[in-house]
Amino acid sequence: MNNPSNASPQDAALSILIKEIGSFHLGGRQVTLAGLPPKEMTFSTKGLPLVVDPNGEVEVEQMYVQFVKLAQPKSKLPLLLWHGGGLTGVTYETKPDGAPGWQMYFLRAGWDTYVSDAVERGRASWARYPEIFKTEPIFRTKKEAWDLFRIGPAYHPDPAQRLAYPQTEFPTEAFDQLAKQAVPRWLTNDAVTQKAYDAYVQKMGPCVIVVHSQSGYFGLQAALNNPDNVKALVLVEPHGSHDPSQTDLSAFKNIPTLWVWGDYVNDVPFWSKIYQQQENFRAQLLKHGARADLLNLPAAGLQGNSHMPMMDRNSDAIAALIQKWLVEHTSQSTNMQNVLSR
Amino acid sequence: MNNPSNASPQDAALSILIKEIGSFHLGGRQVTLAGLPPKEMTFSTKGLPLVVDPNGEVEVEQMYVQFVKLAQPKSKLPLLLWHGGGLTGVTYETKPDGAPGWQMYFLRAGWDTYVSDAVERGRASWARYPEIFKTEPIFRTKKEAWDLFRIGPAYHPDPAQRLAYPQTEFPTEAFDQLAKQAVPRWLTNDAVTQKAYDAYVQKMGPCVIVVHSQSGYFGLQAALNNPDNVKALVLVEPHGSHDPSQTDLSAFKNIPTLWVWGDYVNDVPFWSKIYQQQENFRAQLLKHGARADLLNLPAAGLQGNSHMPMMDRNSDAIAALIQKWLVEHTSQSTNMQNVLSR
C-alpha cells in the first residue's frame, strides 16, 4: 500500500481539489448522573483494580457530521448523506468491494458532501442504558442483513453456501465487509435522533438531502420541520411510517422528492409492504401538486439492485440518475444547471 | 453555511488535490451466538412489538480506518494517526473550537493520512457483553476529562465556574464539544485491540505512526510486533506499561521515536508518574543505541499545552515541530527531505 510520490496523468484527471475536510458534533444535551454505585474494574494490561465513579455530567444524544468542502463546488448547496438503521455514514464511503462509493461520486460531481452518524451510532457515540437510553440495543446478525438487504433468498453461515439472487449487483464476496460496518441499534431513540437531525438541518441552512432506509422517516420529518431549508429530498429505499392523511403535505409544495427502489422488492413481503406505503405517500404528494418522482431501477433498465444500491457494483450508474434528477430539479437553488451547461 | 460557487484565490492557495477519500474495516472475526433468548422489543415510532432473535453469526472486534490519499503526496509513506482511550479518530479532525486539526495539517504537509477508530469505538462498532466483550464499558464524565486531560485544576458542573490553568492553550469555551466526542470504553479489550492494530500495520506495509495517550501502548507494541513496517513512531503523551527490562528493545534499532509532552505534567500525579515511566523506557532505548527523542513542549518554549495538544490553540506549531522531526529522521523512507529541499 505504498504511495507513489507522483500521480499519473490519469489519476490527476480524476483528482478533486479540496478546501477542507473536517467534522463536528451537534445536538444532544448534558445530563447529570447521580446515585450510581462506583464499580471496581480491572485494566487488562495492568491487572490493577480501579474504582470507577460513573456519576457526574456527561453529554448524550449528540450526532456526528463529517464534511468535505470543495475548493470550487459546482453546487451552491451542500449534499447531506444520511444512513440507515444499524449502520453509520460508512454506508456512503468506500464500497465493501473496495471501489469508491457515493461520497466520492458526488464530490466528483461538484457537491460539498456531509456524511453523518446519527445519534447512538459510530462517532456520534451512545449513552448508558437504562439511565439515558431506555432499552438495550439490538445487534443485527448476518442472516438478518442478508435477508433484509435483499442480497439473496437463502443465507447460510458458510459463505460458499449462501444463495444470492442470480442477477444481484451486490458484491456478495464482500458481504462480510458490510457485516463489519454494522453497529448496535436502539428501537427507542427515534425522538432524540429526529431532534439532532432537525438541529443539523437548521445549522446547515439550504441543503439537499439523500436518505436511506430508516432515515427515510427522519428525512421526511426533517423536511416537514424545516421546509425552507430542504431544497430536495432523495429517498433511497426509505422505511417510514408517515400517514399522509395525518400529515400536512403543504410543506412539500417547494421540495422536489425522488423515491429510488432496487430489485426483488416483491420477493420480500417486508419490503413490498413498505414500498406500497411509500407509493401511497408519494401519490398524495402528487395530488397536492408537489413534484414527487419515482426511480424504479428495474423499470429504468437496471436489474439486480439490493437494498444497498450505494454498495452495489453499478452504484455509479444509479448515482448518475440521481445526479441528473438533482440537476434538473434543484438548479434554481444549487445553480448546478448553469455550471453544467457552460 | 452556504458554499460559494467560486473559491477565492486565498482559499485556492490552501487547497489540496485529493486522489481518493475512503475507508475500510479490518481485523476481527466471526462469532456464532446461540442459546440467547429472543426478546420482545418495541419500535418507538410504530408501537408494534417485535420479537428479535439475537442468535446467529456476527462480526466482532474489527477496526475502522478512513484514508485521504493525495494526488501528489510529498511522502512516499502514509501517516497513521491513532487516538487515545474513550475517543475516536475525531481526535485528529476539526478541533473543538472549529479550527482545522492535525489531519488537515499533515495533509497540507504532503502526507497521505489514515485516521482510525480502534476496536470497540466509533465506526469500528462494539460487541455484546458479556457474551463477546467480557465486561461492561465505562463512560467518562466531564470532570474526569477536565482533570485527566489537564485542562485545569478544578472542574465545575457550571462551565462559567470551571477553573482552567491560567496559560492553557486548550479552547476551554469549546470543552463541551470535546465531551461530545467521548465514546464508551472497555477495560478488557486490549488484546483484541492490539490484534487489529497489528493487522492494520501488516496491511499498510511501511508507514509512520502517530499515537496518542492509550494508543501509546498499542503503538509501541505494534512496532515490536512489526518492526520492519514502522518507519517512525511519534508518541504524543503516551500511556503505556512496557517494562523495558522485559522487552526486546532491539526492534527499535531502526525505528526513530519521538516523545511529545505538554504542560502541567507535574501538576497531576497520574501524569507525572506516567511521564517518568515513559522517560525510563526512552532512556533504555537510548542505551540500546536507538534514536529516541524528547519534545518537551514547555522546555521548547511552548507553554500551556493540555493532554490534547492536537486540539489546543497552538496545535499547528506543535505539528510543525513534529513535521520537522519527521523530515529529519524519516527522509530515507519517506523521501520527504528531497522534496522539501527542491
Side-chain angles (χ1 to χ4, degrees), chain B residues 212-223:
Chain B
H212 176 239
S213 198
Q214 184 201 24
S215 67
Y217 178 85
F218 299 127
L220 285 171
Q221 192 61 44

Side-chain angles (χ1 to χ4, degrees), chain B residues 153-232:
Chain B
Y155 171 81
H156 193 281
D158 175 7
Q161 296 188 59
R162 290 174 195 161
L163 197 61
Y165 290 115
Q167 285 189 292
T168 186
E169 288 284 344
F170 188 87
T172 51
E173 76 286 357
F175 174 75
D176 284 356
Q177 187 69 21
L178 168 58
K180 288 179 194 290
Q181 297 181 12
V183 293
R185 173 180 184 167
W186 278 261
L187 302 183
T188 46
N189 279 345
D190 282 7
V192 294
T193 302
Q194 187 69 51
K195 194 173 177 185
Y197 269 130
D198 287 345
Y200 179 22
V201 172
Q202 284 156 23
K203 178 185 171 77
M204 292 302 296
C207 60
V208 171
I209 309 179
V210 174
V211 297
H212 176 239
S213 198
Q214 184 201 24
S215 67
Y217 178 85
F218 299 127
L220 285 171
Q221 192 61 44
L224 289 164
N225 293 349
N226 286 285
D228 291 343
N229 282 355
V230 181
K231 296 304 180 188

Side-chain angles (χ1 to χ4, degrees), chain B residues 42 78 110 141 206 243 266:
Chain B
T42 301
T141 61
D243 179 349
N266 290 326

Side-chain angles (χ1 to χ4, degrees), chain A residues 1-5 7 11 15-25 27-28 30 39 41-46 52-59 62 64 66-68 71-73 76-78 88-90 93-94 100 103-104 107-108 112 114-117 122-129 136-142 155 157 162 176-177 179-190 203-204 206 217 239-241, chain B residues 1-5 7 11 15-25 27-28 30 39 41-46 52-59 62 64 66-68 71-73 76-78 88-90 93-94 100 103-104 107-108 112 114-117 122-129 136-142 155 157 162 176-177 179-190 203-204 206 217 239-241:
Chain A
M1 294 192 57
N2 289 2
N3 304 289
S5 50
D11 288 341
S15 298
I16 47 174
L17 197 61
I18 298 288
K19 182 180 171 184
E20 190 183 358
I21 300 170
S23 66
F24 53 87
H25 284 78
Q30 175 177 295
K39 292 227 172 179
M41 314 284 285
T42 301
F43 277 87
S44 51
T45 49
K46 301 273 186 183
V52 176
D53 180 0
N55 298 298
E57 289 77 36
V58 290
E59 289 284 320
Q62 66 276 13
Y64 166 80
Q66 189 181 56
F67 56 82
V68 182
Q72 294 168 315
K76 274 167 59 179
L77 301 186
T88 69
V90 175
E93 297 181 341
T94 305
Q103 181 194 33
M104 276 305 292
L107 281 170
R108 290 195 204 285
D112 286 355
Y114 286 68
V115 177
S116 49
D117 294 350
R123 290 172 166 181
S125 196
W126 56 278
R128 298 175 68 93
Y129 54 90
E136 62 181 304
I138 56 173
F139 297 74
R140 184 174 285 146
T141 61
K142 291 190 185 186
Y155 171 83
R162 290 173 194 162
D176 283 356
Q177 187 70 19
K180 288 179 194 288
Q181 297 181 12
V183 293
R185 173 182 183 167
W186 277 262
L187 302 181
T188 45
N189 279 345
D190 283 7
K203 178 185 170 76
M204 292 303 295
Y217 178 86
H239 178 190
S241 58
Chain B
M1 292 189 59
N2 290 3
N3 305 290
S5 51
D11 288 341
S15 298
I16 48 175
L17 197 62
I18 298 289
K19 181 180 173 184
E20 190 182 358
I21 301 171
S23 65
F24 53 86
H25 284 79
Q30 175 177 294
K39 292 227 172 177
M41 315 283 285
T42 301
F43 277 87
S44 52
T45 50
K46 302 271 185 185
V52 176
D53 180 1
N55 298 298
E57 289 76 36
V58 291
E59 288 284 321
Q62 67 277 14
Y64 167 81
Q66 188 181 56
F67 57 82
V68 182
Q72 294 170 314
K76 273 167 60 179
L77 301 187
T88 70
V90 175
E93 297 181 341
T94 305
Q103 181 194 33
M104 277 304 294
L107 282 169
R108 290 195 204 286
D112 287 354
Y114 287 66
V115 177
S116 49
D117 294 350
R123 289 172 166 181
S125 196
W126 55 279
R128 299 174 66 95
Y129 54 89
E136 61 181 306
I138 56 174
F139 297 73
R140 184 175 285 146
T141 61
K142 292 191 185 186
Y155 171 81
R162 290 174 195 161
D176 284 356
Q177 187 69 21
K180 288 179 194 290
Q181 297 181 12
V183 293
R185 173 180 184 167
W186 278 261
L187 302 183
T188 46
N189 279 345
D190 282 7
K203 178 185 171 77
M204 292 302 296
Y217 178 85
H239 178 189
S241 58

